[in-house]
Amino acid sequence: MWASLRVLGIESTCDETAAAVVEADSMGRGKILSNCVLSQIAEHAAFGGVVPEIAARAHVEALDPLIRRALAEADCRVEDLDAIAAAAGPGLIGGVMVGLITGKAIALAAHKPFVAVNHLEAHALTARLTDNIEFPYLLLLVSGGHSQLVAVNGVGDYQRLGSTVDDAVGEAFDKAAKLLGLPYPGGPRVEQAALGGDPARFDFPRPMAARRNPDFSFSGLKTAVRQEAERIAPLTNTDVADLCASFQAAAVDVIVDRCRAALRLLADSPKAPTALVAAGGVAANGAIRRALGRFCAETGLRLALPPPGLCSDNGAMIAWAGLERFRLGLVDGMDFAARPRWPLDARQDPRWHGKA
Ligand code: KG4
Ligand code: ZN
């Protein structure tokens, strides 16, 4: 039995400025009291990707009013909070510093404990907020910066089973979109275009298929899309739809095949997972969600798919991860440095203790 807790979470590692207040009741069940997200897509669209300097400046401008709004919507004063959490990495260092310093400043001024949160850990724990999932589970983390399969055994206890050897899956969606003339961010555009396309028209490669280690690779798939697009250019709308559908079908197959490989690796482990949790912006993709549903029906795993708004970057996931850590007494000092790189399993690595 826990005491009920309230935590403010701040996210600023990439191109979303976000602040949220999350509460856990005495049974440990989570509830989102507010979740304010301000996307910077418009600021970056003209450049076809996130510009770090623009992102950092936009976070500075947006964060204070956004935190005020998150507190107001939660009907909560700073004094009512039990802890302040901020993402301390991994991500674009300028943006990370904005959120981290703001979180520390609020904690210091209000005499509240401070929790430095790993952005990836926040994605990893979101399903415990939305679906009350128990450890251990298998995490598929697919975003613009990461493609990973992780055995989640407890708070702070993560075993990375596989990751990408080149592009992240979201990056592959974004690059495929760009070379087909679709605007940034490409993932949702590719999904939309694929709805009217023929997934069997182009037989694109399924990189890493059937490999034992659950690693990902997407650069070969991206190159195949580019070569095919160049071969049949100029592209009609039907061509673009068919290219998107065929690309997405390949990406879906790769993701399911890699989940299967991860499950095989863990099959004989005493911590064999009973659930599959998807997280990261790409987990908003409908075709991927449906394919994971079929995979779990076949393998008997419980499937937890947080709603799309909680799969992409948000403040609630930071607040929740902060709450889970705070509940275990895991608080951080004011000397906790921003970490542009911060592997999920680094908490167990003694070289990462304290400052980095
Ligand atoms: O987790 P996220 O919001 O930010 C980080 O990268 O941390 O993920 C953003 C990524 C982008 O690459 C975007 O194109 C992709 O997620 N994405 C999608 C979809 N929605 C967002 N990819 C495929 N289908 C979608 N519906
Ligand atoms: Zn993310």
Side-chain angles (χ1 to χ4, degrees):
M1 186 85 108
W2 296 299
S4 84
L5 295 171
R6 264 184 192 193
V7 175
L8 168 72
I10 299 170
E11 158 62 29
S12 61
T13 62
C14 192
D15 60 343
E16 257 102 25
T17 317
V21 179
V22 160
E23 185 179 71
D25 66 17
S26 57
M27 302 298 289
R29 282 180 304 240
K31 188 171 165 200
I32 298 173
L33 301 185
S34 65
N35 191 20
C36 304
V37 183
L38 207 75
S39 171
Q40 303 175 2
I41 283 176
E43 275 101 320
H44 301 287
F47 303 94
V50 179
V51 183
E53 176 73 18
I54 293 176
R57 286 169 185 268
H59 287 307
V60 171
E61 277 173 29
L63 196 52
D64 288 0
L66 203 69
I67 291 171
R68 209 170 289 136
R69 209 177 94 202
L71 288 169
E73 284 182 17
D75 197 15
C76 176
R77 297 165 308 164
V78 176
E79 302 89 286
D80 303 329
L81 296 166
D82 294 285
I84 317 293
L92 301 171
I93 190 71
V96 174
M97 286 170 73
V98 173
L100 183 60
I101 291 169
T102 305
K104 284 179 184 174
I106 296 172
L108 201 60
H111 305 288
K112 299 284 178 185
F114 174 71
V115 187
V117 169
N118 181 320
H119 176 95
L120 303 177
E121 178 172 38
H123 276 305
L125 298 176
T126 300
R128 288 170 51 76
L129 165 66
T130 56
D131 296 71
N132 233 340
I133 288 277
E134 301 272 342
F135 301 118
Y137 53 83
L138 176 64
L139 168 72
L140 168 72
L141 177 57
V142 278
S143 72
H146 307 276
S147 301
Q148 298 186 4
L149 277 153
V150 180
V152 180
N153 299 321
V155 175
D157 184 357
Y158 311 102
Q159 183 194 357
R160 198 157 26 131
L161 305 167
S163 47
T164 183
V165 297
D166 41 56
D167 291 344
V169 57
E171 205 178 348
F173 269 89
D174 293 341
K175 286 179 177 173
K178 196 170 182 179
L179 65 91
L180 297 177
L182 300 173
Y184 173 84
R189 304 296 182 138
V190 169
E191 180 178 10
Q192 206 178 4
L195 287 175
D198 175 5
R201 176 165 162 204
F202 303 101
D203 186 18
F204 288 137
R206 271 62 173 163
M208 299 284 189
R211 293 262 187 106
R212 186 174 173 277
N213 252 37
D215 287 322
F216 297 86
S217 168
F218 289 101
S219 72
L221 174 56
K222 178 194 64 193
T223 304
V225 174
R226 195 190 62 237
Q227 286 171 342
E228 204 55 48
E230 284 169 0
R231 192 181 66 78
I232 62 169
L235 302 177
T236 63
N237 286 345
T238 305
D239 292 334
V240 171
D242 291 347
L243 283 162
C244 286
S246 301
F247 163 81
Q248 186 172 269
V252 166
D253 281 355
V254 168
I255 286 169
V256 170
D257 178 72
R258 305 295 67 212
C259 288
R260 200 181 298 284
L263 199 59
R264 224 178 280 132
L265 268 193
L266 294 172
D268 299 326
S269 142
K271 292 180 177 166
T274 54
L276 172 67
V277 166
V282 184
N285 182 288
I288 294 172
R289 294 169 86 88
R290 287 189 293 278
L292 293 177
R294 290 191 296 273
F295 173 69
C296 285
E298 172 202 327
T299 54
L301 289 175
R302 178 178 172 197
L303 177 63
L305 289 172
L310 294 175
C311 283
S312 52
D313 292 349
N314 64 85
M317 70 179 196
I318 305 297
W320 177 254
L323 191 153
E324 291 239 50
R325 295 188 69 80
F326 176 69
R327 200 154 57 186
L328 297 173
L330 300 169
V331 295
D332 296 287
M334 289 295 133
D335 59 348
F336 198 102
R339 298 174 175 182
R341 298 172 141 272
W342 188 359
L344 197 48
D345 29 14
R347 292 262 189 197
Q348 293 143 289
D349 181 342
R351 285 168 304 178
W352 286 88
H353 275 301
K355 295 165 229 165

